[in-house]
Amino acid sequence: MDISRDRLLWAYERMCLIREFEDRLHADFAAGKIPGFVHLYAGEEAVATGFCAHLRDDDFLTSTHRGHGHCIAKGVDLRAMMAEIYGKATGACKGKGGSMHIADVDKGMLGANGIVGGGPPLACGAGLSAKIKGTDQVTVCFFGDGASNQGTTFEGLNLAGVWKLPVIFVCENNGYAETTSPRYSVSGQDIAARARGFGMPSIAIDGLDFFAVYEAAGEAVARARRGEGPTFIEAQTYRYYGHFEGDTIKYRDREEEAHYKSLDCIGRFRTTVIEQELLSQAELDAIAARAREAVADAVRFADASPLPGADDLLTDVYVSYPERELWPFQEVRA
Amino acid sequence: MDISRDRLLWAYERMCLIREFEDRLHADFAAGKIPGFVHLYAGEEAVATGFCAHLRDDDFLTSTHRGHGHCIAKGVDLRAMMAEIYGKATGACKGKGGSMHIADVDKGMLGANGIVGGGPPLACGAGLSAKIKGTDQVTVCFFGDGASNQGTTFEGLNLAGVWKLPVIFVCENNGYAETTSPRYSVSGQDIAARARGFGMPSIAIDGLDFFAVYEAAGEAVARARRGEGPTFIEAQTYRYYGHFEGDTIKYRDREEEAHYKSLDCIGRFRTTVIEQELLSQAELDAIAARAREAVADAVRFADASPLPGADDLLTDVYVSYPERELWPFQEVRA
Amino acid sequence: MTVMVEEAVRTLSYREAINEALRLEMRRDPSVILMGEDVTGASQSDDEAHLDAWGGVLGVTKGLVHEFGRQRVRDTPITESGFMGAGVGAAATGLRPVVELMFIGFMGVCLDQIVNQAAKMRYMFGGKAKIPLTVRTMIGAGFRAAAQHSDSIYSTFVHFPGLKVLAPATPADAKGLLAAAIRDDDPVIFCENKVLYDTKGPVPEGEYVIPLGKADVKRAGDDVTIVAISRMVLHALEAAEQLASQGVSAEVVDLRSLAPLDEETVLASIRKTGRLVVVDEDNPRCSVAGDIATLAATQALDYLNAPVKLVTAPHTPVPFSPALEDLYVPSPARIIAAAQATLG
Amino acid sequence: MTVMVEEAVRTLSYREAINEALRLEMRRDPSVILMGEDVTGASQSDDEAHLDAWGGVLGVTKGLVHEFGRQRVRDTPITESGFMGAGVGAAATGLRPVVELMFIGFMGVCLDQIVNQAAKMRYMFGGKAKIPLTVRTMIGAGFRAAAQHSDSIYSTFVHFPGLKVLAPATPADAKGLLAAAIRDDDPVIFCENKVLYDTKGPVPEGEYVIPLGKADVKRAGDDVTIVAISRMVLHALEAAEQLASQGVSAEVVDLRSLAPLDEETVLASIRKTGRLVVVDEDNPRCSVAGDIATLAATQALDYLNAPVKLVTAPHTPVPFSPALEDLYVPSPARIIAAAQATLG
Ligand SMILES: Cc1ncc(C[n+]2csc(CCOP(=O)(O)OP(=O)(O)O)c2C)c(N)n1
Ligand SMILES: Cc1ncc(C[n+]2csc(CCOP(=O)(O)OP(=O)(O)O)c2C)c(N)n1
Ligand SMILES: [Mg+2]
Ligand SMILES: [Mg+2]
């Protein structure tokens, strides 16, 4: 495996941070501490991490409603993320976006997205920026198996192909869109094959295997950086929790869950790097412990942070707009 | 060729009617007699005719902005069509729809459509009706090479595949979408191959050859009637006039036009049926003459017809609605 | 169409009332079908244990697949344009589809099929098509669902000729209006406020149909008219209750039908009270709230004793943080202040 | 941002004025790019003879590709969601895209990228994104283009917080406002009335930028205020001319900026004349016309001497037949009748 120790350490740390972050949210949601729709990424860590391992801070990423993992892998600040999910003023989006809209444009993270299929067109735009400015920035577009059916996704594939954009489309096929499997929803059953119809290299990979993801991602990113256009990768993975928190998961069997958990991406990573003597157990344990502490710290930070104030309601709608037009026709405001 | 004499006569008549109808509109538009956006089907006659040859009155068809040929092939009344294009009260849509919206739901013609990609979802609905009612009605969905890139088209393909709907998707690849060739706009370049990704039989055929169309259409229609699901057919064809009337066609060369005209679908049909002694020259000439007269009659009818009156402005919006809400907040009306 | 109350009145939740209307209409008319994402759940599975795994994202369609089967209660891929258009095409060819657009904020991925196809077909075709389509969709902030899942942007649909738009506030109205929507021969957008699903109220048993286009005076009063929509009706009633204790008699008009508009009922109330407050959770520009003010300005100006007061959401997206979202939604306190302002 | 007139004033068509604004802004700022269907033409061809074969469906972008090349002036496949979203994504990452949505009636196939992504991103991201996107789109009936190509449904965009919406009536305003739109850091919907493309008027040479959010009194008057939008400004001016000959002094306010609304200018005129007529080619429900009436009802009630009069299109799709379409668009005669009605 052509991967440096540093990269391995980084990858393990990111995967642990994601898992820890999501497990903690799961518990805290159940405890009633967190409002709204929360979609957890636990189980899919190898995908976001395997791709982001090849990205620079100035590369771009578009995401989905299930965006925490993408954010963490791209380096969005954990405290800011947690505070955002708690709706606090210190959040990445000042509490205005919440779990489904965490973004950090400075880090190239163009936002989680509540619209299934919202990302692919946006990714083309980021790719177009790089192309027109003549940089070698790359854009990675994550979306789900459900999103693979959305018209906007196909439009994005076509546009990226026509304009030869440096965009990598990553379909995170986690077996379900809410309750619906691609076995039902994807006519033809083969998501990667469909993308081939758009004239781009397209493969399906084991998304539970960090090294498989890392390798495929490396090739795709290099290709995009060389200006050779888009690539499609279907990463086959699994989500451990329900579609969103509160989901009782009546649409799949516990045996299936157990099977996938036996293939856990973090566990397999550990086994591989220890067996191949790339990293030591002690190193790994230390990273896991640090991740636990980092998440605990983020929760403490979020807990202690202030809520946004009434003034914040009307800010950030526009760069500039007459104040009175933010509540037109009325004087009795909140 | 497994086709009856009656069918051949019918097909030749339909193709002549379409050609004559469009040629006449071209002349009359140039003479300033016709308002609005008019998209002519001349050159593509074999496609609509080859498919509709297999359809019954109770089968369905969705169309495009370039819908005259589909209407004529499906049996919409010529006078009503011409009057519609002239904006007359006697038009198929009482003059309210015009060229881009001619429809005759009773004939299964669900409307020309001004929205590129508007048809495929509607076609799925007609197919769903047949499926749920348990009839063997078939729906043919015509759309262009340009429309083949629209997200709604892919969504239609997927839905028809998932629900195994009796829908036939016919991409009329006439080489251009306005000025833009699929060589530019279709990433991967192969429209029929893309559809294969949706798990349905898909082929490209010579759309200038009536017999090729007739044969492929026959198989697809039979398949749909048997309840075996959708088929995709890319019919490669050519439009003789500009994108719409008034277009000076600066985006393609006269040699290319001459080449395709040398492959004219009506001319080739004549040659074939005469050579194979299926129909006589005299029969064909008589049909052509009748077509000319039928179109002239339609023009006379349209010319002589009354315009809609002021009352018609507010009718047909709803099946039922309070009259005063059709011009709310105001008494000074037209 | 008439109001029919056949049996006794029981208490149901808004969610149950909607489910009941769907069930009764599907029983009554085999051409009624239902489709949307996960309206049953797990369509890939033949395992009985998975059937109806969701019954809709918030459980509204639960149980229907057991009675009507997967032919008539259909899960769809995530292709809103595809299945919305399929609903339109099916309506044009003889079915009476009820299509679920999960959240109204998803309109943007399928608007064309609603406003350019469903809404215009009849007119474009010179009256020769009818589109008996019902689109059920969720509106409403307060669910901490952030900007893309919390809109109440029904005014977008109201703007388009060819559509009817309903927004019931109570379980009984939800049942009666949904039945009417499904039976109606025009496309109807039926807006369900997700924050109301667990609210309860008396609902007539059996067949119950409320004519479209009729507002409902939910509380009679003399001093000021409060016109409200959907959940805001509850806030208006709360405000009216408090105003009453201050000696102000407020009339609460529940608009219910946003298109067509019941001008008579609204104007009659304005003429009686001479004062108008409009409460709307939607954003204020080009809104139904503005339409009510416009109605007053064009047709009841001489009756107005005070400037019209609007109480709406701000001209901002819906914020996530509960601290902000609670300020976003018009509160009873704001309604009271607006009513008092009309009284000088 | 200020109004700057650098050189002499010449006569240009509305089409030429828009083309000039695009050209000047593209010269000024290399991050400005243009994209849309056939904005040049024949992108598949390397043959010089095919270059710029169309320059846009009605020739508005003609010539730009010669100066700026195919990198910056891009034809797109027919995938409005795809390229509109690409515009949003490009805007979020440092370009200043001008995206052409050929007809406003096509909004339905790409609305999500405009109203859920472009419009909300800044708010959802807590102010940490800016989306300097301009969407050029054609409005206007009178072209015999029927129901799907003739809408003026800008009110749909006005409804959504996060967007700015412009609708110039004259060549000079078209130039100055388009320049302002492109320079603006928020998403702007720029509505070009296709029926106006061949109308001519004086247009300042060189850099000319009109601040957003300012209405323009196109004709001063004392007796009645006529607020109008886009082509309706010309009809209002024609009506005012005829009213003058009847001894009625009408003030014509060209709204120009639909969002933000210039409340001051409108209210000042209403307060002066005491009478209000609103002329809008868009459909009346949830419309900008309604907003102007709402403004009067909420903020100028005491100044109104007569009920507000709306003169809008009916609540119907746009009919094809010229005989009907000419009745559909508000006419000077209707405006005059409405103005007279306010005068009792
Ligand atoms: C346009 C749109 N349609 C529907 C939804 C509701 N929804 C949210 S997530 C989801 C399932 C998405 O499935 P997939 O793309 O596989 O992503 P996953 O949740 O599995 O990560 C659906 C239907 C939405 N948010 N946006
Ligand atoms: C959604 C939408 N986008 C753009 C247009 C403008 N337009 C009308 S026809 C056309 C080209 C269509 O090309 P194609 O599908 O190949 O059909 P053809 O005209 O060649 O028959 C375009 C871009 C439209 N009517 N609808
Ligand atoms: Mg999934
Ligand atoms: Mg074509």
Side-chain angles (χ1 to χ4, degrees), chain B residues 299-321:
Chain B
V299 171
R300 284 191 300 272
F301 174 80
D303 258 333
S305 288
L307 289 165
D311 288 350
D312 295 318
L313 182 60
L314 301 187
T315 56
D316 302 323
V317 186
Y318 295 89
V319 173
S320 71
Y321 209 70

Side-chain angles (χ1 to χ4, degrees), chain B residues 15-30:
Chain B
M15 291 201 288
C16 289
L17 282 172
I18 297 171
R19 177 68 54 85
E20 190 62 33
F21 194 88
E22 301 297 62
D23 284 353
R24 180 67 194 256
L25 280 174
H26 179 72
D28 288 351
F29 189 97

Side-chain angles (χ1 to χ4, degrees), chain A residues 92 129 133 155 319 324-325, chain D residues 82 93 123 128 163 186 263:
Chain A
S129 274
K133 291 186 212 151
E155 295 193 14
V319 174
R324 102 187 215 177
E325 292 304 304
Chain D
T93 54
Y123 194 76
K128 286 173 203 151
L163 300 176
D186 292 311
E263 297 195 11

